Amino acid sequence: EEQRREKERIKRERVEQLVGWGGAQVMTFHAFGVRLLRDAAEKLGRPPSFTLFDRSDAESAIKTCLEELKLDKTQYAPRSVLEAIGTYKSRMMTPRDAADESVSRMEEDTAAIYARYEELLRSSGAFDFDDLIEKSVRLLDTDPELRERIQNTFQYVLVDEYQDVNHGQHRLTKLLAARHGNLCVTGDPDQCIYGWRGAEIHYILDFPREYPEAKVVRL
């Protein structure tokens, strides 16, 4: 964690040297989500001072859901269920979507846990880590005034390591850049290592087709 923070600090300093202090905002997708949700959490039934569940908090919440739904913890390991829910969220799937696409009893039960987990998060005034992207996208999708304000704030968007974005992050990138069309991404398809976290390599491969006017620079 300390190494990650140090790398982020170095990146911010390098950008500031190029564009001047205050000329750019450097952050992860999730850091952006925290900022947006602090500003607009009430639209989702949470207070601005919402709690952000860490892994331990989220697994405890899943255990509560299993008890309420009378499901066996040995069959539905909380960590595995939480990973499945994270996958649903990275794909922008609601509990109803998950239920509709279920093809087995286990998937049906996981969708039911997901639904109860969302209720528990809301009643606790909390979000989890995956909500930072998923809920941000939903807010920008459904609130034109908020979307316009955010798009005007981010007139130029650059995304690094684009080969590792998942569906939710791709949607967020498109929303941020939609108004001005100033989008630059960098990445290497041969270094896609986060497929297990929902990363979809086709977003970087399809970028020239998705944005026909884009200039491709190969290093």
Side-chain angles (χ1 to χ4, degrees), residues 121-136:
L121 283 170
R122 189 177 300 106
S123 64
S124 300
F127 294 108
D128 69 12
F129 190 69
D130 295 302
D131 283 329
L132 299 177
I133 307 298
E134 190 252 347
K135 296 298 188 295
S136 293

Side-chain angles (χ1 to χ4, degrees), residues 32-86:
F32 170 85
V34 170
R35 293 189 186 187
L36 180 65
L37 294 179
R38 290 290 180 202
D39 184 51
E42 292 178 337
K43 298 177 184 291
L44 297 171
R46 273 77 152 184
S49 58
F50 62 80
T51 299
L52 183 60
F53 275 14
D54 61 17
R55 170 70 68 166
S56 177
D57 296 327
E59 287 187 15
S60 294
I62 294 296
K63 290 176 184 177
T64 298
C65 296
L66 291 172
E67 291 172 359
E68 293 179 353
L69 296 171
K70 295 181 172 54
L71 294 172
D72 189 348
K73 295 178 186 177
T74 60
Q75 185 177 4
Y76 297 90
R79 175 166 295 189
S80 297
V81 172
L82 191 59
E83 288 175 356
I85 291 174

Side-chain angles (χ1 to χ4, degrees), residues 36-183:
L36 180 65
L37 294 179
R38 290 290 180 202
D39 184 51
E42 292 178 337
K43 298 177 184 291
L44 297 171
R46 273 77 152 184
S49 58
F50 62 80
T51 299
L52 183 60
F53 275 14
D54 61 17
R55 170 70 68 166
S56 177
D57 296 327
E59 287 187 15
S60 294
I62 294 296
K63 290 176 184 177
T64 298
C65 296
L66 291 172
E67 291 172 359
E68 293 179 353
L69 296 171
K70 295 181 172 54
L71 294 172
D72 189 348
K73 295 178 186 177
T74 60
Q75 185 177 4
Y76 297 90
R79 175 166 295 189
S80 297
V81 172
L82 191 59
E83 288 175 356
I85 291 174
T87 298
Y88 288 140
K89 290 186 177 184
S90 74
R91 294 175 179 169
M92 299 302 301
M93 293 175 63
T94 65
R96 171 51 57 189
D97 294 331
D100 289 344
E101 292 193 11
S102 296
V103 295
S104 67
R105 175 61 184 274
M106 179 166 283
E107 290 183 356
E108 290 176 2
D109 287 343
T110 301
I113 298 167
Y114 179 16
R116 180 65 191 109
Y117 176 65
E118 285 293 279
E119 293 172 357
L120 195 153
L121 283 170
R122 189 177 300 106
S123 64
S124 300
F127 294 108
D128 69 12
F129 190 69
D130 295 302
D131 283 329
L132 299 177
I133 307 298
E134 190 252 347
K135 296 298 188 295
S136 293
V137 171
R138 295 198 186 281
L139 275 173
L140 294 175
D141 260 340
T142 58
D143 190 324
E145 183 178 343
L146 176 65
R147 182 171 63 249
E148 182 177 4
R149 175 160 60 85
I150 294 299
Q151 288 175 341
N152 285 333
T153 300
F154 294 88
Q155 296 184 36
Y156 296 87
V157 178
L158 186 153
V159 181
D160 195 15
E161 306 292 359
Y162 196 69
Q163 77 277 357
D164 291 328
V165 299
N166 60 35
H167 180 63
Q169 292 165 341
H170 172 255
R171 288 274 302 279
L172 181 54
T173 298
K174 290 196 71 171
L175 284 164
L176 291 177
R179 185 173 184 84
H180 298 284
N182 300 315
L183 174 62

